[in-house]
Amino acid sequence: MISLQVGDRVTHDQFGLGTVTAVTGTGADAQATIDFGDDKPKRLLLRYAPVEKL
């Protein structure tokens, strides 16, 4: 499973490039809030999200 920290740059298949602004939970419950430059950041469950750390 991907491990992210605040400030990491990521890419998502649908949303494009983004910056991690918050990480909560651990293991299978880990979620990341990522700013993709939209109106508001997206909160993604990392075990399902197609996110790749850059």
Side-chain angles (χ1 to χ4, degrees), residues 26-48:
T26 59
D29 295 326
Q31 296 182 23
T33 303
I34 303 173
D35 183 358
F36 291 103
D38 297 332
D39 290 339
K40 63 183 194 175
K42 303 210 181 317
R43 198 161 92 195
L44 304 175
L45 190 59
L46 294 179
R47 67 178 162 177
Y48 295 122

Side-chain angles (χ1 to χ4, degrees), residues 1-25:
M1 180 172 307
I2 189 169
S3 175
L4 297 176
Q5 296 180 358
V6 173
D8 284 348
R9 298 281 292 159
V10 297
T11 184
H12 183 281
D13 292 349
Q14 181 178 356
F15 304 128
L17 295 173
T19 303
V20 177
T21 58
V23 179
T24 59

